[in-house]
Amino acid sequence: MSDKEQKPLPGRRALLSGGAAALGLLVAPGIRLIEVAGASTTASPKVRWGLLVDTTRCTPECKACVNACNAENHLSGATAPTDSQWLRKVELKDKRTGRTASVPVMCQHCAKPACVDVCPTGASFKRADGIVLVDRHACIGCRYCMMACPYKARSFVHAEVHDQNPEVPRGKGCVEGCNLCVHRVDKGQLPTCVEACPNQAMLFGDLNDPNSALSQRLRTIATTQVRADLGLDTGVRYHGI
Amino acid sequence: MSLAAIARTLLLAAGLAGLAGFASADSRVPKPTIQADPANGTCVAPAAEMRRNHMDMLKHQRDKTLREGERGAKVSLNGCISCHAGKQSGSVVGSRQEFCESCHAYAAVKLDCFECHQPKAGAQVAKTAGGER
């Protein structure tokens, strides 16, 4: 696979905001924006956004994705149980063989998300394009979703928040987690972790499009879903674990 | 008082008079602080409609944006902020001089929006926090 493939093209925003008449415009290979109408976009059920993490390219000392995530979403980067972590590195070791793997773990954007099933207010929801989000206007902070998530992907905000990124509102009393950089993806940009990875270990794209770079890669290398036995059908896939 | 400010006051008084039919230039009803530069374009709807319906517009669009991923709509909270942030503070809240609060303080409306939403216009935040790119 050519790793340059998923680098966004310059001028993709100009194309977007210029209201490019082209429907189904190819913003970058594998990143297809359907229903581009004028300056506005809508999440399309034809798309399912997903990620492939190639852990063989991921080293334990590198935290570029985590740092980029923290910077983008204005997270403190602290890792106490009461601090928000949307993306964290987990070190895996096979005790019998001693083989290790360094694995970035975030919301797995399940097709059948347990967090959505248990949410009493409907705040936890899945967008038409597969991105799992918390609607914090409806979140009451009960944290059932945190209990239900097998990936420990969600955090509760324990203290007041200041200096938010205007595009990423967050505040005390709500549950939050990786949103696949929905504010960037809706503009035709890549999630910030994908863009930040110096080893191109992450590939973002449309799982539903057989021609996307992501689907092609998934066809050619062995990949796993973490806890596939739970049948949640995760949107994040891993290679090398 | 600058010429522009006088013009604004007159406009506003005329607007209020048209709307409610009671206000006059020396009305005791305090007026909101409007610092939005008309050069950046007009509001998303006429002032009279904004005064009555901005809360419904925001709540309606909020669900569209968040749940359906509708971006680039006319109404957006960040949009309000980009035009209405105070010239000095760069914010829409923080004191009675700031746009959103100038009315809400009078009407005893307390918003929780800015516990999560950044009340400062985008550029101002990028400078201090460096999170936007």
Side-chain angles (χ1 to χ4, degrees):
Chain A
M1 171 193 76
S2 152
D3 296 317
K4 271 146 235 115
E5 263 184 306
Q6 57 168 334
K7 287 266 146 56
L9 304 173
R12 64 207 177 279
R13 275 188 86 174
L15 276 173
L16 257 182
S17 53
L23 288 180
L25 164 83
L26 261 188
V27 172
I31 303 178
R32 188 183 284 272
L33 282 176
I34 297 173
E35 297 178 5
V36 179
S40 111
T41 60
T42 319
S44 161
K46 294 185 192 114
V47 173
R48 181 171 178 213
W49 295 123
L51 266 183
L52 169 59
V53 184
D54 182 347
T55 62
T56 61
R57 294 169 180 234
C58 195
T59 54
E61 55 282 359
C62 178
K63 301 266 187 308
C65 55
V66 177
N67 294 340
C69 177
N70 292 342
E72 176 73 20
N73 300 304
H74 293 196
L75 309 178
S76 72
T79 57
T82 49
D83 293 314
S84 279
Q85 282 180 277
W86 293 14
L87 170 58
R88 64 207 148 86
K89 290 289 290 291
V90 176
E91 308 306 324
L92 299 181
K93 184 169 183 183
D94 186 326
K95 286 206 180 102
R96 282 160 305 177
T97 62
R99 179 180 182 269
T100 57
S102 181
V103 187
V105 178
M106 71 295 274
C107 170
Q108 305 285 298
H109 298 282
C110 307
K112 297 174 202 151
C115 54
V116 174
D117 288 345
V118 300
C119 179
T121 67
S124 245
F125 73 104
K126 190 178 69 171
R127 246 172 49 146
D129 56 5
I131 303 181
V132 176
L133 296 171
V134 185
D135 180 347
R136 274 154 282 173
H137 306 105
C139 176
I140 55 170
C142 74
R143 289 166 263 181
Y144 277 147
C145 58
M146 291 175 66
M147 307 276 205
C149 176
Y151 308 102
K152 274 183 135 186
R154 284 198 173 165
S155 305
F156 180 76
V157 184
H158 288 261
E160 278 175 25
V161 181
H162 305 283
D163 294 325
Q164 294 93 332
N165 176 347
E167 291 189 292
V168 189
R170 28 188 315 266
K172 181 176 160 181
C174 285
V175 172
E176 59 181 20
C178 160
N179 56 10
L180 214 55
C181 280
V182 65
H183 57 291
R184 293 170 57 97
V185 169
D186 283 350
K187 280 188 288 194
Q189 295 173 316
L190 293 170
T192 192
C193 54
V194 175
E195 198 171 89
C197 179
N199 303 323
Q200 280 82 38
M202 292 193 195
L203 185 59
F204 172 80
D206 181 2
L207 291 165
N208 284 350
D209 174 4
N211 297 319
S212 70
L214 176 63
S215 298
Q216 289 176 13
R217 188 97 174 117
L218 287 170
R219 242 189 333 267
T220 51
I221 62 170
T223 58
T224 19
Q225 304 185 18
V226 178
R227 290 302 307 271
D229 57 313
L230 296 172
L232 303 174
D233 187 4
T234 60
V236 181
R237 315 284 163 85
Y238 292 89
H239 171 65
I241 56 169
Chain B
M1 206 186 229
S2 74
L3 256 183
I6 292 167
R8 248 197 326 264
T9 315
L10 287 174
L11 257 178
L12 188 69
L16 280 173
L19 178 73
F22 62 78
S24 64
D26 54 7
S27 160
R28 283 177 300 142
V29 179
K31 306 293 191 300
T33 320
I34 307 176
Q35 297 190 37
D37 187 348
N40 294 334
T42 52
C43 199
V44 293
E49 196 191 329
M50 289 311 289
R51 281 178 214 134
R52 282 168 191 267
N53 297 331
H54 63 276
M55 45 317 254
D56 297 333
M57 295 161 92
L58 280 168
K59 283 186 183 165
H60 177 76
Q61 186 56 45
R62 168 185 94 182
D63 294 343
K64 288 248 163 215
T65 301
L66 196 64
R67 302 231 162 211
E68 289 160 37
E70 192 180 290
R71 303 280 174 175
K74 207 168 61 169
V75 173
S76 104
L77 186 53
N78 277 336
C80 318
I81 296 166
S82 69
C83 280
H84 283 293
K87 294 226 158 56
Q88 242 97 72
S89 62
S91 176
V92 288
V93 290
S95 82
R96 278 175 175 241
Q97 308 321 314
E98 307 303 351
F99 180 69
C100 301
E101 216 167 312
S102 61
C103 273
H104 293 164
Y106 178 74
V109 176
K110 191 167 182 298
L111 294 188
D112 69 350
C113 315
F114 300 107
E115 285 174 22
C116 290
H117 287 271
Q118 176 57 254
K120 291 187 178 172
Q124 303 259 353
V125 183
K127 262 183 254 153
T128 53
E132 227 199 10
R133 62 203 77 201

